[in-house]
Amino acid sequence: RWMKFEEKVEDGGERWSTPHVPALPLQSLFQLRTCLQQGTMLLDLDATSFKEIIDKALSGQPEEAELQPALRERLEALLLLQPQHQPTKSLLQLLAELGLSPCRGRKPGCPTRHPRKAKGRSEPRTQISKTPLKEQLRNRFKKKVLPGAEAAHVAVGEVEFLEKPFSAFIRLRCAVSLGSLAEVSLPSRFLFILLGPPKLKAYHEVGRAMATLLTDELFQRVARQAEHREDLIAGIEAFLDELIVLPPGKWDPSARIPPPSRLPSPCRRTTVDPLDQQPRGNGDMTAAGDRASAGHSRSGEELERTGRLFGGLLRDIRRKAPWYGSDFSDALHPQCLSAVLYIYLATVTNAITFGGMLGDATANMQGVLESFLGTAFAGFVFCLFSGQPLTILSSTGPVLVFERLLFSFSQDHSLDYLEFRLWIGLWVAFFGVVLVATEASHLVRYFTRFTEEGFCALISLIFIYDSLKKMLSLADAFPINWQYRLDNVTSYSCTCNLRRFFNPILTCLTTLHHPPLPSIQYSPAPRQAGLSRTQCLDRGGHLLGTSCQYVPDVTLISFLLFGGTFLFCTTLKRFRSSRYFPVGVRKLVSDFAVILAILASCAVDAVLGLETPKLLVPSELKPTNPARGWIVFPFGANPWWVCLVSAVPAVLVTILIFMDQQITAVILNRREYKLQKGAGFHLDLLCVSLLMVVTSVTGLPWYVSATVISLAHMESLRKESATSAPGEHPEFLGIREQRLTGLAVFILMGVSVFMAPVLKHIPMPVLYGVFLHMGVTALNSIQLMDRVRLLLMPAKHQPDLAYLRHVPLRRVHLFTVIQLLCLALLWVLKSTVAAIIFPVMV
């Protein structure tokens, strides 16, 4: 059978072979062309049953090749016999048959289940049924057939009573179901019959050639539109023109060529430029850039200027308005549930991380609670009204650097930090609206792959670096006693030194798992119960001993949870392309890969019962710093001229917000993601600008698009074809574009304050492992990493990449080295106080 690729029934008739590219003898194609030139051909035949088709095919022969009535009857009876199909059995069916049939092992004396035709006799078979059989309707193979597909039938074989070959090619005017003829119940349009005397042995190969032609999309088009015999012959000639011949003796004809990972589109086959087929050792960089960036984003209508105030914004609104209803209905899919849980945990971790750093940088004027509330509010509003709702808002590193500098400047010059920040936010919002009105977003079209990859690589490396840095900091919080020696175990102890009324009392520390030990007293004071570490410190004591800081298990298990979560996420994400389990199970596991990894790691942590650092979520709705309120007033604490001077730093913040937002938007709206609902660069910038007003008035952090989390959001919503031919990789259909996942994520962020009893059981190393997975995934999604690997590969081991065919290798390496040097410069710049201007440097 053929469905894009060939499958054969293996010896023994028990299973189908692996799909493979058919290898045809060239002579079989020439013989097929002869059959079409000389045999019967019926185009646009009106028939509703297989019997009617056979009658017209046998009666439509030319006079010189007309069969005798007796031969016609015998041939018709032969063709109307029910063909034997190889059913596709599930694993449970095979196991059941194995258990019920003790003679399955080909033991002597055991009959075979499907005896082959013996010489001179064959088992009796029934005629083809006019209605599909139950086996056809229940055949699991139909799940792999695309909706609207049709079946073609090729019947070839040797017949003893024929003296010369009989061939017929039939095309029905309308596709009809031919009863029990096909393996699965599908409408049929094409039939090819070739029967002849046993002296000719090439019938089977001619039938394979015909089946291969009918699976070729270009020949299908010719066969559907052909009006005469010559049109089909021309289709075969075009097929022969594209053949590539393998010389005999240089390969094994019995070897099965595996299907390629990607097939060329029929459009490229019909529009091949002969010049493109010539090898180019020194091709020009411009042409190669166009080919290499075939999937690169070059948005057209979204970034064209209208020449009117707010013209681009109005066009974004008109483009997105018709899709607004489907933005909610398209989210009704189980995949969206896994995306919500995945992005929620990533956003929670990010909010806690940046909230803690903001608290340290601003004396808790903005802390974890403000980060939670700001993320929930800004993200919810953005997903509800933005042009690209797949974008996830978050605090970023440059914004954090600016907040630290602004707080230090305010302290040095006796200014109120929140009021000063309010005026800067208002100016930034004003400048943002001006940029939207003047359609400044059209500058995005000048962003190149060099810029996008540099920015994406930097943000991805920051995620990877921060996750590793957080894990290494655990060694300080839970230090390992490197001087521990098993032979000295009797000398290790930890005691609590309590000094009351100048009488030192040494009390041994105990845990909840052991009964209290009697205290060792060096004065006539009464005996006291043992104290825990917390009780000792609360009473003003201090710890004495060589093992007081010895907690090796916590650091060790934290790193194991960290690495295990990352490996679980990576492995389960790739499970979609695994060979194990049915495709539905593989897709489900892949969609919920991150959630399953988190649950598994949390279960391991719960079983071990160690006090690993857990996720701490604020449980009260009150400002982190009691000295501030929820509303920041514009006047009263600072001089009046501050509102005017604030415009100067606001210009720098505006550039930062514009570059950060629009570069991320360009990355998310690349053409290779196959987005159908269009972008909204102007509308997104307007939403971010207006949110600056609200977050500044309430003293919440400022937010902009988060590149890595947004990419992770899109990757978790990838759509692939539900049906694919055997051997064919599932086709990427695009992204599940909707607003509901983002809205659900930020609603959960808002109620996380009330979910503290549940969230406190999630270990932080597990979430850092998710961070590492997101950073590595985003880094591997850019072409830069492929070119970095080329630097380490000998030329003979390099993959066959498109741009390597047209660009000299030295120019590829030069481009990569320059990009790496710029990336290193950006990293150094990010690590200094000048990090605020790094988007400008990008």
Side-chain angles (χ1 to χ4, degrees), residues 21 85 116 231 266 273 340 374 407 507 530 576 591 603 609 719 800:
V21 178
H85 298 296
R116 295 284 185 180
D231 297 334
D273 186 357
V340 168
F407 183 79
T507 306
R576 184 187 299 267
D591 290 341
K719 292 190 300 183
D800 186 20

Side-chain angles (χ1 to χ4, degrees), residues 526-603:
R527 299 173 64 89
Q528 295 186 2
L531 299 178
S532 66
R533 176 179 180 275
T534 305
Q535 292 172 340
C536 176
L537 298 178
D538 289 344
R539 296 187 182 187
H542 62 278
L543 304 176
L544 294 176
T546 55
S547 61
C548 293
Q549 302 297 326
Y550 180 39
V551 195
D553 296 334
V554 172
T555 302
L556 175 62
I557 194 61
S558 295
F559 273 94
L560 291 177
L561 291 175
F562 171 73
T565 303
F566 170 72
L567 292 178
F568 277 164
C569 291
T570 304
T571 304
L572 295 180
K573 269 295 181 184
R574 297 175 179 173
F575 195 69
R576 184 187 299 267
S577 57
S578 170
R579 295 178 180 269
Y580 303 102
F581 298 101
V583 63
V585 176
R586 297 201 304 266
K587 287 183 178 181
L588 189 65
V589 171
S590 179
D591 290 341
F592 287 85
V594 178
I595 305 305
L596 293 175
I598 292 174
L599 291 178
S601 299
C602 291

Side-chain angles (χ1 to χ4, degrees), residues 343 346-355 357-358 371-372 374-380 382-383 391-400 459 463 656-657 660-661 664 688 691-692 695 701-710 745-746 749 771 774:
I343 302 303
T347 308
V348 165
T349 308
N350 195 58
I352 290 176
T353 303
F354 277 98
M357 290 189 291
L358 274 174
S371 180
F372 264 75
T375 302
F377 171 77
F380 181 84
F382 186 86
C383 287
T391 304
I392 301 296
L393 295 190
S394 173
S395 297
T396 60
V399 173
L400 175 63
I459 301 301
F463 263 67
L656 186 154
I657 296 294
D660 210 345
Q661 171 66 35
T664 302
V688 171
L691 285 172
M692 290 287 291
T695 54
W702 292 331
Y703 294 97
V704 72
S705 297
T707 307
V708 173
I709 300 181
S710 299
V745 165
F746 294 112
M749 281 290 297
F771 257 47
M774 288 194 299

Side-chain angles (χ1 to χ4, degrees), residues 276-586:
D276 288 342
Q277 298 178 350
Q278 300 177 3
R280 299 184 184 181
N282 298 308
D284 61 274
M285 194 72 173
T286 305
D290 294 339
R291 293 183 184 90
S293 60
H296 190 56
S297 172
R298 283 293 175 265
S299 302
E301 180 190 359
E302 295 96 337
L303 298 177
E304 290 181 358
R305 300 197 65 174
T306 63
R308 302 187 303 272
L309 285 178
F310 297 102
L313 174 64
L314 295 176
R315 189 165 52 191
D316 284 351
I317 295 175
R318 286 195 296 265
R319 183 187 312 112
K320 301 298 293 187
W323 300 103
Y324 199 78
S326 65
D327 284 344
F328 294 92
S329 60
D330 290 347
L332 302 178
H333 191 275
Q335 186 183 19
C336 294
L337 176 61
S338 66
V340 168
L341 298 176
Y342 172 29
I343 302 303
Y344 164 67
L345 292 174
T347 308
V348 165
T349 308
N350 195 58
I352 290 176
T353 303
F354 277 98
M357 290 189 291
L358 274 174
D360 296 338
T362 63
N364 286 329
M365 286 297 178
Q366 299 177 72
V368 176
L369 180 64
E370 287 80 6
S371 180
F372 264 75
L373 296 180
T375 302
F377 171 77
F380 181 84
V381 173
F382 186 86
C383 287
L384 200 59
F385 300 107
S386 66
Q388 182 49 272
L390 297 175
T391 304
I392 301 296
L393 295 190
S394 173
S395 297
T396 60
V399 173
L400 175 63
V401 173
F402 179 81
E403 297 279 12
R404 182 183 293 113
L405 295 176
L406 181 62
F407 183 79
S408 300
F409 181 85
S410 301
Q411 294 293 311
D412 295 341
H413 295 82
S414 301
L415 297 176
D416 184 81
Y417 161 70
L418 291 179
E419 183 178 319
F420 191 17
R421 181 178 179 275
L422 167 63
W423 282 107
I424 294 177
L426 295 177
W427 277 110
V428 170
F430 171 74
F431 292 147
V433 173
V434 171
L435 291 176
V436 173
T438 55
E439 300 179 301
S441 294
H442 83 282
L443 297 174
V444 169
R445 65 192 309 156
Y446 300 109
F447 291 167
T448 63
R449 177 184 288 275
F450 188 96
T451 304
E452 297 172 23
E453 288 186 345
F455 182 81
C456 185
L458 180 65
I459 301 301
S460 302
L461 290 175
I462 289 175
F463 263 67
I464 297 172
Y465 173 79
D466 286 345
S467 61
L468 295 175
K469 181 180 178 182
K470 288 288 185 181
M471 288 303 303
L472 292 176
S473 66
L474 290 178
D476 298 329
F478 304 96
I480 298 177
N481 188 0
W482 297 105
Q483 289 74 32
Y484 178 82
R485 298 294 181 270
L486 183 61
D487 192 52
N488 300 333
V489 67
T490 56
S491 63
Y492 297 143
S493 63
C494 184
T495 57
C496 177
N497 187 359
L498 289 175
R499 295 184 179 274
R500 293 182 179 177
F501 308 106
F502 304 101
N503 293 325
I505 302 174
L506 296 180
T507 306
C508 293
L509 296 177
T510 63
T511 63
L512 297 177
H513 301 287
H514 300 282
L517 296 176
S519 59
I520 302 175
Q521 300 179 358
Y522 291 88
S523 64
R527 299 173 64 89
Q528 295 186 2
L531 299 178
S532 66
R533 176 179 180 275
T534 305
Q535 292 172 340
C536 176
L537 298 178
D538 289 344
R539 296 187 182 187
H542 62 278
L543 304 176
L544 294 176
T546 55
S547 61
C548 293
Q549 302 297 326
Y550 180 39
V551 195
D553 296 334
V554 172
T555 302
L556 175 62
I557 194 61
S558 295
F559 273 94
L560 291 177
L561 291 175
F562 171 73
T565 303
F566 170 72
L567 292 178
F568 277 164
C569 291
T570 304
T571 304
L572 295 180
K573 269 295 181 184
R574 297 175 179 173
F575 195 69
R576 184 187 299 267
S577 57
S578 170
R579 295 178 180 269
Y580 303 102
F581 298 101
V583 63
V585 176
R586 297 201 304 266

Side-chain angles (χ1 to χ4, degrees), residues 623-687:
T624 306
N625 192 327
R628 57 155 290 184
W630 285 117
I631 300 296
V632 179
F633 296 97
F635 298 103
N638 291 335
W640 64 269
W641 47 265
V642 171
C643 63
L644 301 178
V645 176
S646 302
V648 178
V651 173
L652 193 59
V653 178
T654 302
I655 298 175
L656 186 154
I657 296 294
F658 178 82
M659 295 293 292
D660 210 345
Q661 171 66 35
Q662 300 297 52
I663 291 178
T664 302
V666 169
I667 294 174
L668 297 183
N669 289 283
R670 281 178 175 171
R671 191 175 301 168
E672 55 256 37
Y673 287 121
K674 298 183 180 181
L675 301 180
Q676 303 296 322
K677 300 181 180 181
F681 293 94
H682 310 279
L683 183 55
D684 291 347
L685 184 59
L686 178 67
C687 290

